[in-house]
Amino acid sequence: MSGTEMQMTGAEIVLQALKDNGVTDIFGYPGGAVLPIYDEIFQQDDIQHILVRHEQGAGHMAEGYARSTGKVGVVLVTSGPGATNVVTALQDALMDSIPLVCLSGQVPTTLIGSDAFQECDTVGITRPCTKHNWLVKDVNELARTIHEAFRIAQSGRPGPVVVDIPKDVQFATGTYTPPSVSPIQSSYQPKKQPDHRRIQEAVELMRTARRPVIYSGGGVVNSGPEASRLLRDLVEITDFPITSTLMGLGAYPASGKNWLGMLGMHGTYEANMAMHDCDVMVCIGARFDDRITGRLNAFAPNSKKIHIDIDPSSINKNVRVDIPVVGDVGLALEEMVMLWRSAAKDLAKNRLDDWWTSVERWRARKSLSYTPSNDVIMPQYAIQRLYELTKDRDTYITTEVGQHQMWAAQFYGFEQPNRWMTSGGLGTMGYGFPAAIGVQVAHPESLVIDIAGDASIQMCIQEMSCAVQYNLPVKIFILNNQYMGMVRQWQQLLHGNRLSNSYTEAMPDFVKLAEAYGGVGIRCDKPQDLDAAITQMIDTKAPVIFDCRVANLANCFPMIPSGKAHNEMLLPDEATDEAVANAIDAKGRQLV
Ligand SMILES: Cc1cc2nc3c(=O)[nH]c(=O)nc-3n(C[C@H](O)[C@H](O)[C@H](O)COP(=O)(O)OP(=O)(O)OC[C@H]3O[C@@H](n4cnc5c(N)ncnc54)[C@H](O)[C@@H]3O)c2cc1C
Ligand SMILES: Cc1ncc(C[n+]2csc(CCOP(=O)(O)OP(=O)(O)O)c2C)c(N)n1
């Protein structure tokens, strides 16, 4: 045995491996199959355990923690229902590229396959919703497996992994090997360094562009702050217009002069028109999701496409590209910026003038406009005021899923990466509040706000109890329209206004609910009172539920109905009921 190896129980190995991988906080819920690990947690002070109220909450907390810090989020659950409850969060993390290590307890190895109490096939159930998973049957494999789990979760395209640990393995004694001396076990070696020739080709194509657009995504945020800095440099030296996906917001500042706003289904007119009409598209760390492309055969029909992505399976998956660049965004951008500086010296200064004139014409369309009101709070106005009153603070925003999420993306101006946590790929209602708790654990002094809908917030509301227990002053800002607004909007526009099961008839009193949990409740229903109420929320040093009563039937525009092209988007002033109905009748009524 080498000097760095030690004999320990499986449970001790788990704690030691977490510490050696830099873990300081974990989110979990106990049960019979993880009691040896909980016993070890009890006997140490290096790692803080946050006791959640539902394992789904633990998963989303770890996601918020990971996204806001760039670290790996860690979850601990028991066997059976503990493991199955966390599946939604694992799939969420898989789709949004969030690095998670989930440790689950399992029944003793001798009982596996016997329908033992709280047994489930965790490895089988989580195989499709993780990057990798393991059932560890030998205590001597435990340390190496956990180290490997951390490596896989955060390398390449980040994502969740599961380590399933039977109870007898937690009791057994074996050898602990630290990460530095543990051999790398798998053949998973993602390529970080992009091919130099590909970047040269990309820069050559960018030089010829007359109608270029940069389409950036979550991969820029994943790559780290340096990638965002380089993205800003690239935009500045090329003077290309830039748009971003929902997942990439903040990598380029919303106040930047080349910013077109978000693209896609609820993106701005200028972003979607620039994507449609461009001649060169530079896709940086985004994955051509269907909310972006709309109808595939009408997607950017006259453009050459460059795609930078660390995951080779992402290249040519949905859209064929001309120049694939496989590697880390940060490394690719570093070289691209360097090559551009020397390659672009002789380019005519006015070569993009016509293109910028088109962009300005599209911008003048003011596609995010809405009709203000003195009587009722418009949801867009609520987000604008929230932004104005929090923008100079150290603020992190999470969201649930629905209209409020899209209005947050449209009206809250993100200036920095890692400040915006939202469930994009899976679109998980119930994500935002636990994610906000995870962010607050990582940033105890910051202002953390979950922008929520009245339906979504009820999916993980039990975590109020967790926020109160740990004095985490998270703010839940509910845009309360009494409807599942996004569902109602689709039913109105695409299903003959038959509002099937999208109205919530027995809404809880959110103020009393906050108080029942030991938090603070605030209600506001008048535009004139909104600033004072938001200020009260910000100044409250406790978890707050803010019940912001907004216009019930407001719709979120612009909107590209699913299956339509970018240039077929519905704009707010065209989307009167009649115009919408006509547009849909003319093109054939669509199903969701
Ligand atoms: C109700 C609702 C409406 C929505 N409407 C919109 C909309 O209007 N507009 C919109 O944009 N989205 C919208 N979305 C979100 C959408 O579903 C997708 O989640 C989103 O578009 C995907 O963003 P992305 O392409 O940046 O990919 P991500 O899921 O963030 O993937 C990142 C990509 O970058 C790669 N990558 C990761 N790390 C690195 C690295 N270090 N270096 C290089 N590459 C890396 C990954 O392999 C991956 O291909 C909506 C979601 C919901 C729930
Ligand atoms: C777990 C889950 N179930 C169902 C859906 C489908 N869905 C998407 S948005 C939405 C309504 C959300 O309503 P609310 O939270 O009130 O937000 P609003 O749209 O009104 O802002 C539903 C049901 C989902 N995204 N997630």
Side-chain angles (χ1 to χ4, degrees), residues 95 99 116 129 134 156 208 273 288 467 498 506 514 522 578:
M95 295 197 75
C129 59
W134 300 261
T208 66
M273 289 306 289
F288 294 98
R498 288 179 292 278
I522 299 172
E578 195 190 4

Side-chain angles (χ1 to χ4, degrees), residues 447-469:
L447 176 62
V448 186
I449 305 172
D450 170 33
I451 297 178
D454 46 270
S456 297
I457 193 57
Q458 296 187 61
M459 290 221 172
C460 278
I461 190 67
Q462 73 284 347
E463 302 304 341
M464 264 303 273
S465 177
C466 173
V468 169
Q469 176 175 341

Side-chain angles (χ1 to χ4, degrees), residues 27-31 34 38 49-55 58 76-78:
F27 303 90
Y29 203 84
V34 277
Y38 271 87
H49 176 274
I50 303 290
L51 177 64
V52 305
R53 300 302 185 265
H54 186 295
E55 290 86 351
L76 176 60
V77 296
T78 193

Side-chain angles (χ1 to χ4, degrees), residues 217-218 245-246 263 265-266 285 287 292 309-310 314 328-329 424-425:
T245 65
L246 183 76
L263 81 162
M265 180 173 269
H266 291 288
R287 57 181 173 82
I292 300 306
D309 202 300
I310 202 158
S314 190
D328 175 59
V329 160

Side-chain angles (χ1 to χ4, degrees), residues 229-420:
R229 197 189 59 70
L230 288 161
L231 179 70
R232 292 160 194 228
D233 283 356
L234 186 73
V235 174
E236 195 183 321
I237 59 180
T238 58
D239 198 29
F240 288 1
I242 174 167
T243 177
S244 159
T245 65
L246 183 76
M247 300 309 292
L249 295 178
Y252 183 81
S255 60
K257 91 172 168 43
N258 293 36
W259 178 237
L260 300 176
M262 182 176 79
L263 81 162
M265 180 173 269
H266 291 288
T268 63
Y269 186 62
E270 52 270 38
N272 285 328
M273 289 306 289
M275 288 290 281
H276 189 265
D277 282 7
C278 68
D279 64 354
V280 172
M281 177 187 297
V282 190
C283 170
I284 308 180
R287 57 181 173 82
F288 294 98
D289 181 84
D290 57 85
R291 307 270 114 161
I292 300 306
T293 59
R295 183 151 51 83
L296 268 177
N297 61 8
F299 177 66
N302 302 312
S303 73
K304 294 255 189 234
K305 300 177 185 73
I306 300 163
H307 186 187
I308 305 174
D309 202 300
I310 202 158
D311 179 1
S313 77
S314 190
I315 307 273
N316 292 330
K317 188 184 222 165
N318 301 327
V319 170
R320 287 208 69 78
V321 297
D322 301 277
I323 304 181
V325 181
V326 177
D328 175 59
V329 160
L331 295 174
L333 282 176
E334 191 177 2
E335 194 164 354
M336 205 172 240
V337 165
M338 202 180 67
L339 286 183
W340 182 272
R341 286 195 204 278
S342 53
K345 290 199 180 88
D346 54 339
L347 285 179
K349 289 265 176 292
N350 61 354
R351 74 195 190 290
L352 302 181
D353 285 1
D354 289 351
W355 181 229
W356 274 109
T357 305
S358 303
V359 170
E360 290 311 332
R361 206 177 57 243
W362 294 323
R363 273 182 174 156
R365 197 71 184 70
K366 297 208 178 308
S367 62
L368 295 181
S369 61
Y370 62 93
T371 311
S373 167
N374 289 327
D375 304 325
V376 62
I377 301 176
M378 294 306 290
Q380 300 93 329
Y381 176 75
I383 304 289
Q384 283 176 319
R385 295 316 305 158
L386 186 69
Y387 171 63
E388 288 301 329
L389 294 165
T390 57
K391 68 179 181 190
D392 296 328
R393 293 170 182 259
D394 174 21
T395 308
Y396 291 80
I397 300 289
T398 71
T399 75
E400 307 292 337
V401 170
Q403 290 178 315
H404 61 275
Q405 176 189 26
M406 293 298 112
W407 283 316
Q410 293 173 337
F411 290 93
Y412 199 99
F414 294 95
E415 297 292 311
Q416 298 296 333
N418 303 94
R419 296 278 166 164
W420 162 245

Side-chain angles (χ1 to χ4, degrees), residues 101-241:
V101 169
C102 174
L103 306 173
S104 54
Q106 182 55 277
V107 301
T109 44
T110 48
L111 293 184
I112 289 177
S114 72
D115 289 344
F117 176 65
Q118 293 195 328
E119 180 184 5
C120 75
D121 177 5
T122 301
V123 165
I125 289 169
T126 61
R127 183 166 293 123
C129 59
T130 52
K131 269 183 91 175
H132 200 67
N133 62 13
W134 300 261
L135 169 64
V136 185
K137 290 187 179 160
D138 176 355
V139 66
N140 290 306
E141 291 298 317
L142 189 53
R144 271 192 291 155
T145 307
I146 295 175
H147 303 325
E148 182 72 351
F150 276 87
R151 187 181 73 83
I152 291 184
Q154 58 196 318
S155 50
R157 179 177 180 180
V161 299
V162 166
V163 184
D164 198 26
I165 314 171
K167 193 168 180 181
D168 54 329
V169 174
Q170 298 170 36
F171 279 127
T173 300
T175 305
Y176 179 76
T177 345
S180 52
V181 291
S182 290
I184 289 170
Q185 287 169 302
S186 73
S187 57
Y188 181 68
Q189 299 292 339
K191 177 173 176 297
K192 281 191 82 175
Q193 189 63 50
D195 186 341
H196 174 65
R197 272 168 315 157
R198 289 297 195 195
I199 304 211
Q200 271 179 328
E201 284 167 30
V203 169
E204 206 40 55
L205 179 61
M206 287 159 67
R207 270 172 56 87
T208 66
R210 292 298 170 267
R211 302 189 310 280
V213 67
I214 294 178
Y215 146 44
S216 71
V220 184
V221 180
N222 285 125
S223 182
E226 182 61 8
S228 297
R229 197 189 59 70
L230 288 161
L231 179 70
R232 292 160 194 228
D233 283 356
L234 186 73
V235 174
E236 195 183 321
I237 59 180
T238 58
D239 198 29
F240 288 1

